[in-house]
Amino acid sequence: MAGDVFVVLIIFSALVMIVKASVDAIVRVKALKSSDASPEVLKAIAQAGTPFHLTALKWGLGLG
């Protein structure tokens, strides 16, 4: 019974991560293609974000 809940949580979290990554990518592409943004904003968008392995490490340590 507890295993069923664990599997559902894993599937739900995977779906959330996929949606979040997709939305972030779409927003970044639209922002980089827009001509209204200043060079500083474009540079910040291009360099923004934590590398995936550090994010995974943070969540793994927190959940552990």
Side-chain angles (χ1 to χ4, degrees):
M1 181 116 141
D4 296 338
V5 174
F6 187 65
V7 170
V8 170
L9 288 174
I10 290 174
I11 292 172
F12 178 73
S13 63
L15 289 174
V16 168
M17 288 174 53
I18 290 169
V19 170
K20 181 185 178 300
S22 300
V23 170
D24 284 347
I26 291 169
V27 169
R28 283 182 184 214
V29 167
K30 285 186 178 182
L32 291 173
K33 286 185 178 180
S34 76
S35 61
D36 298 335
S38 68
E40 294 86 18
V41 172
L42 294 177
K43 185 177 178 182
I45 289 173
Q47 294 178 349
T50 305
F52 179 74
H53 65 280
L54 294 179
T55 304
L57 177 64
K58 177 184 75 173
W59 281 103
L61 291 173
L63 292 175

